């Protein structure tokens, strides 16, 4: 099963632990990447960015997110005053000097999660609104079969009782619809990685 125990995240020496002692681990998920090696994390990240550009989410996921964004707009959950740098301080303000000097990662207007840092085997992104301050951590680890695989941990700091109720209310939708769809999309992105790399090479050649 792609869902993993919290300890598979908390017991590994990820740098994100230095920044998130006041967050709780909400979910840990694995994504199969057959044939992946220890140096393929950047390849996977590039494949995910390519998938963001070319792949539409399944309609149940699109519907859920459309409802969520509509509610957020009506109720003011996602106003800039509730976001990172306003209601909460960005995790980038907690970075030690070596992480602050490391690559940050690319941001995309289609992604509400903003880059915190991006290393050879892990990356972190964050978002905040009136419900939570959340972190998505991506890590690259060796699986039981010897191949490396992508693991995602979602860490949250709910905004009071309302944030805790919100997280409880959306849990069934995350486990039954969102995460299974994300698993299919991200695993497909790995299978299509050669196409993504070929496209990146073509664009690089055109820019020269």
């Amino acid at each position: 099963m792609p869902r993993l125990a919290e300890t598979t995240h908390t017991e590994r020496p990820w740098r994100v632990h230095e920044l998130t002692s006041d967050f709780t681990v909400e979910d840990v998920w694995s994504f199969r990447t057959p044939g992946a090696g220890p140096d393929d994390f950047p390849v996977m990240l590039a494949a995910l960015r390519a998938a963001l550009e070319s792949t539409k989410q399944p309609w149940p996921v699109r519907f859920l997110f459309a409802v969520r964004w509509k509610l957020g707009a009506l109720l003011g959950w996602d106003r800039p005053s509730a976001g990172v740098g306003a209601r909460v301080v960005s995790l980038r303000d907690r970075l030690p000097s070596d992480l602050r000097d490391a690559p940050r990662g690319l941001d995309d207007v289609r992604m509400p999660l903003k880059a915190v840092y991006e290393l050879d085997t892990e990356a972190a992104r964050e978002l905040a609104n009136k419900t939570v301050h959340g972190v998505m951590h991506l890590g690259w680890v060796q699986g039981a079969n010897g191949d490396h695989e992508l693991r995602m941990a979602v860490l949250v700091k709910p905004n009071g009782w309302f944030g805790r109720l919100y997280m409880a209310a959306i849990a069934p939708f995350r486990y039954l619809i969102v995460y299974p769809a994300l698993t299919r999309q991200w695993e497909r992105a790995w299978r299509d990685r050669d196409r993504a790399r070929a496209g990146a090479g073509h664009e690089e050649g055109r820019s020269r």
Side-chain angles (χ1 to χ4, degrees):
M1 293 295 291
R3 189 182 178 197
L4 303 176
E6 289 182 16
T7 54
T8 59
H9 173 76
T10 57
E11 292 181 353
R12 297 193 67 89
W14 299 122
R15 298 298 304 273
V16 75
H17 300 321
E18 303 170 35
L19 317 174
T20 54
S21 60
D22 50 343
F23 286 68
T24 58
V25 179
E26 188 73 19
D27 302 303
V28 184
W29 217 258
S30 70
F31 302 87
R32 292 176 289 272
T33 51
D39 301 323
D40 282 334
F41 186 53
V43 176
M44 184 65 196
L45 293 182
L48 294 180
R49 285 191 284 268
L52 180 66
E53 295 174 359
S54 62
T55 305
K56 290 184 177 181
Q57 294 282 1
W59 74 263
V61 176
R62 296 201 307 273
F63 174 75
L64 286 176
F65 277 104
V67 171
R68 165 60 184 85
W69 298 131
K70 177 60 72 173
L71 282 174
L74 290 174
L75 301 176
W77 292 350
D78 305 309
R79 290 174 181 164
S81 60
V84 172
R87 186 181 72 80
V88 302
V89 175
S90 171
L91 290 185
R92 285 197 58 83
D93 290 358
R94 304 184 184 186
L95 293 180
S97 58
D98 64 322
L99 283 183
R100 192 176 299 115
D101 295 336
R104 178 173 181 168
L106 299 174
D107 281 329
D108 192 297
V109 295
R110 292 162 295 185
M111 280 190 66
L113 290 148
K114 301 305 178 185
V116 178
Y117 66 84
E118 189 172 297
L119 305 177
D120 290 340
T121 57
E122 65 172 300
R125 291 178 172 271
E126 67 179 338
L127 65 76
N129 51 45
K130 280 195 174 181
T131 63
V132 297
H133 185 186
V135 179
M136 181 182 73
H137 178 265
L138 298 178
W140 195 243
V141 303
Q142 188 171 27
N145 64 354
D147 291 340
H148 276 65
E149 65 184 22
L150 183 69
R151 292 186 183 173
M152 177 186 72
V154 177
L155 301 95
V156 298
K157 189 196 303 186
N159 186 15
W161 64 267
F162 174 66
R164 290 190 290 273
L165 285 176
Y166 173 82
M167 292 303 299
I170 68 172
F173 301 102
R174 294 200 318 269
Y175 297 139
L176 296 177
I177 298 176
V178 176
Y179 287 153
L182 195 65
T183 297
R184 292 189 294 270
Q185 184 186 32
W186 284 15
E187 291 181 352
R188 187 186 311 115
W190 171 255
R191 294 194 299 271
D192 294 343
R193 67 194 181 281
D194 291 334
R195 190 184 315 162
R197 283 189 288 194
H202 178 67
E203 289 301 319
E204 182 180 354
R206 289 179 57 188
S207 66
R208 291 180 178 176

